[in-house]
Amino acid sequence: MLCRGEGLLGSLTALLVAALALSRSPALSVLLTGGLYLALHLFSLEPAAPQSAQRVLRPRRAAARIAHRGGAHDAPENTLAAIRQAAENGATGVELDLEFTADGVPILMHDETVERTTDGSGRLRDLTFEEIRRLNPSAKHRLRSKFQGEKVPTLREAVVESMQHNLIIYFDVKGHANQMRQADRNVVTALTHRPWQLSHFGDGTPRFSSSWKHHLYMMLDVILDWSLHSFLWRLCGVSALLVQKNFVSQDYVRHWSSKGIQVVAWTVNTFAEKSYYESVLESNYITDSLVEDCDPHY
């Protein structure tokens, strides 16, 4: 229930105090805080049933090893070959990226353009499925000679392949998650979070050269972080939180576990890190490789 939990109570209290300080009006402050609470109560989504969430997040009653984009270091990302390779390498599941072609066909692709992973060029929204099907998704991979003849797969092909290998699937559905959640309440959903993601790239370098813009987006990062940990997780009805590995600790995992939320770390790419997540944190993790240490694939 929305009314349960210290996090939300603390957030509403902080909002009430801030509103009082800024407006000097008790009535306006109470109205603002009460309105926010009512909006959260009316518009928040119900999470998937705990049993459904457990089947996806803890299918073998142990920390799940999820191959990022199918295991982008071990095979060409978001391909059927990657799914097969992940299963062979001992993955519990695969994380796959879902996008749509110009003619509305759901396919596996991470980027909005095809240049990085294929031998083609152009934006997905400008290319039909027939055009994308002619591209080679192995063209830029370090092991491309081993994975010849691959095609960009459809959603259906990826699901069938994963089911044949008894793999669970984490779908990153880009801009279409809300439609899926509204269409089926049994869909297990998660929020993905990397602190400072608005102001910095994945490798830690600033996104903006302008000092004022950099600090503005750092402020927005603080607000986003507070919002996610305070009420966004309730509003979205999530069952898991996917967090950049550098910000995951035993206390963090315990905190979210007490709220019924599973923490999944990304991207865990060394043997030492994986051992820590499996034996100490007992927490799921997403990795680019199941066979060797590697750098992260952004």
Side-chain angles (χ1 to χ4, degrees), residues 64-69 95 97 110 170 172 190-198 200-204 207 228 240-249 252-253 262-270 273-274 277 281 283-289 294-298:
R65 302 181 297 275
I66 308 299
H68 187 217
R69 304 177 196 170
E95 184 266 355
D97 299 288
H110 179 272
Y170 287 20
D172 184 344
L191 286 173
T192 300
H193 183 53
R194 173 174 63 80
W196 310 113
Q197 61 183 318
L198 300 179
H200 294 77
F201 291 110
D203 60 2
R207 289 183 183 272
L228 184 143
L241 189 62
L242 278 59
V243 183
Q244 207 276 336
K245 64 178 182 181
N246 295 340
F247 301 91
V248 177
S249 66
Y252 193 80
V253 171
Q262 292 280 340
V263 171
V264 182
W266 55 272
T267 309
V268 179
N269 281 350
T270 69
E273 290 174 330
K274 293 171 187 175
Y277 274 88
L281 296 183
S283 180
N284 298 359
Y285 62 84
I286 296 173
T287 181
D288 287 312
S289 176
C294 68
D295 293 328
H297 290 239
Y298 296 111

Side-chain angles (χ1 to χ4, degrees), residues 75-103:
E77 68 178 60
N78 286 310
T79 61
L80 299 185
I83 295 172
R84 290 190 291 269
Q85 192 68 50
E88 183 179 326
N89 292 339
T92 311
V94 288
E95 184 266 355
L96 304 170
D97 299 288
L98 179 61
E99 268 292 359
F100 291 84
T101 64
D103 46 347

